Amino acid sequence: MIPPISMAASRDQALSALNDFLPKVPFYGQKRNRVIPGHEDVSRLSGALRHRLIQESEIVDAVLHHHSFQAGEKYLQEVFWRTYWKGWLEWHPSVWADYKHSLKAWHDGADDRAQERAVALMEGRSGVAIMDFFAQELTQTGYLHNHARMWWASFWIHVERLPWYVGADFFMRHLCDADVASNTLGWRWVAGLQTAGKSYLVRASNLRKYCEPSLLEAHQAGLERLEDGVVEAWPASYLTIPCVETLGRPTADLSRWVDCRVGWWVHPEDGLADQKALQKANPVSVLCTSRVHETLRSSVSAPSPRYRHQVADDVRQRVLSFMGSGDRVPTVEPSEHWMESLVQWASKNHLEAVLAYRPFVGSIHDQVTDLEIQLEAAGVAIVWVEREWDTTWFPYAKKGFFPFWKSAGQQLQARQISLTS
């Protein structure tokens, strides 16, 4: 039986989970790779961060307030890995475009045999019992420990020789914390595409070292396929170095719109972890769109859609508490007509501008141009707002993580001095 996984689906839950995890932060480096039932050695805040129910800066400040930089460094690095991946993809958006193109080509033209094998792995019928357990844990709980994600991705790519982007799509459709940047680039790294000459190979010895012994003992079948020396990297012969593009993300001056009739659009990429932006913008109405792109073609009772509904409910309730009237906070359910509904909302409220946090490279961002065209035709401006966290750290994410972390670490140590002085 696969135990349920506790993941914060509201801001209050995220703050509580952070508070509960803070005493464990100094031990995170020693325990973070252990794959155990319940996953108590990791914070499980990834879903809340993904939807920005809690901000990265809140986590960082809490860690620095309670622990020395050295004691919290490993956990802080994990927070910054997520920021790094998102920033890197903003600089290299062609990687996301290539991913989508490759995925479509696979579904349009892959041979039946390969597609059948891919489905077998996704359904937990590969014959390698521990990998089948992880596939079932993912589809039943919407979560996988990061180490298990790496093992399973490596099994998919380097053992089964299946395309990385098809496995990445499987994760995107089922993970509650599914994030375009972390997922896409993580799979590329395992495949040997993200860092030239470096692939990640699943090894039975690594599973024996970090996997809960009782779990591995109960899933021994097929483990010989993962023994050290058996797994060989699938050559990344299609490795290309993506060009660095311009971020092109000017920060909006909200003061320009203070005396104008504006509305705020809340989309799934940013759950308004604080109300400062709303207070400054003073919108006449807020539109909460729960989803603008449905990635999982299954019932709402599946873990990831259910989690997203819980997140959307929390966001709407917090916006309602700020706006003070349900009439001022309409909700648009996901449909192919969500954009039309948004434009109608703007027109009905006689808005001069719609304000929103700018979506990152990914499914929502793909539709931004069409949205801008439709709003412009209705005589409404769209104003993209930036988080200070993103404008601070994304410029450092052009190249590798460790130069990025060197800059971040220096600034965090200075930040800690200011917090404690």
Side-chain angles (χ1 to χ4, degrees), residues 257-268:
W257 301 95
V258 167
D259 297 323
C260 299
R261 192 173 177 84
V262 301
W264 193 286
W265 175 40
V266 183
H267 54 72

Side-chain angles (χ1 to χ4, degrees), residues 160-274:
E160 292 288 340
R161 304 305 214 208
L162 288 166
W164 71 269
Y165 40 84
V166 181
D169 176 63
F170 173 55
F171 273 24
M172 278 299 297
R173 288 185 287 114
H174 288 276
L175 286 168
C176 291
D177 61 7
D179 176 84
V180 164
S182 296
N183 188 67
T184 304
L185 302 182
W187 272 82
R188 279 173 52 89
W189 178 78
V190 170
L193 295 170
Q194 193 63 24
T195 304
K198 292 185 179 180
S199 303
Y200 178 80
L201 300 184
V202 58
R203 293 176 289 116
S205 62
N206 194 255
L207 274 90
R208 293 186 182 103
K209 181 177 180 180
Y210 290 110
C211 203
E212 167 70 25
S214 62
L215 177 62
L216 197 56
E217 288 167 9
H219 298 87
Q220 287 287 309
L223 195 60
E224 67 277 359
R225 295 186 63 196
L226 310 180
E227 289 294 345
D228 296 25
V230 173
V231 181
E232 295 183 356
W234 189 4
S237 57
Y238 46 94
L239 176 64
T240 58
I241 307 300
C243 296
V244 176
E245 301 182 27
T246 302
L247 280 181
R249 301 171 66 98
T251 302
D253 180 8
L254 291 185
S255 62
R256 175 187 170 190
W257 301 95
V258 167
D259 297 323
C260 299
R261 192 173 177 84
V262 301
W264 193 286
W265 175 40
V266 183
H267 54 72
E269 296 248 322
D270 201 301
L272 286 171
D274 61 58

